[in-house]
Amino acid sequence: RGDRCFKQATDRTRVLAASQVQLVSDARLQDSFKRELRYVYTAAGESIDAVLIREGLALAWREDGSQRAALTALEERARSAKTGCLWSGS
């Protein structure tokens, strides 16, 4: 809450998630606060993380994860193209 693009990202996540999502675990199952870590996909199998990052609504997690390289590449493309509320300057 309070972060740039919070409302837009929340609204888009609600649309993508609809009434069902798929959760996929990675090598690290929990963070240091014991929160469960998962990649989130739509019921049709589309990565919600990737959509939000590609649309300039979210930042890629850069610390670890099997999808780190792909997601950071999407972020760089969105930034270069000034896509979405994170990078458009508005």
Side-chain angles (χ1 to χ4, degrees):
R1 296 182 185 271
D3 288 337
R4 188 168 185 182
C5 302
F6 174 80
K7 182 179 179 349
Q8 296 91 329
T10 299
D11 292 346
R12 185 68 170 122
T13 300
R14 283 190 178 118
V15 169
L16 292 166
S19 62
Q20 184 179 11
V21 296
Q22 298 177 47
L23 302 176
V24 177
S25 60
D26 204 8
R28 190 163 62 107
L29 298 177
Q30 294 181 332
D31 66 9
S32 61
F33 299 101
K34 305 288 186 209
R35 294 177 293 200
E36 299 290 319
L37 300 175
R38 302 293 183 267
Y39 289 109
V40 184
Y41 293 84
T42 65
E46 183 175 25
S47 169
I48 292 176
D49 301 299
V51 170
L52 294 175
I53 294 166
R54 184 176 58 244
E55 293 179 0
L57 300 174
L59 300 171
W61 178 253
R62 296 178 175 273
E63 301 301 317
D64 59 3
S66 63
Q67 297 181 22
R68 176 179 58 181
L71 295 175
T72 56
L74 288 173
E75 181 185 309
E76 292 304 320
R77 282 195 288 274
R79 183 184 314 217
S80 293
K82 297 186 180 344
T83 302
C85 66
L86 282 178
W87 314 119
S88 67
S90 56

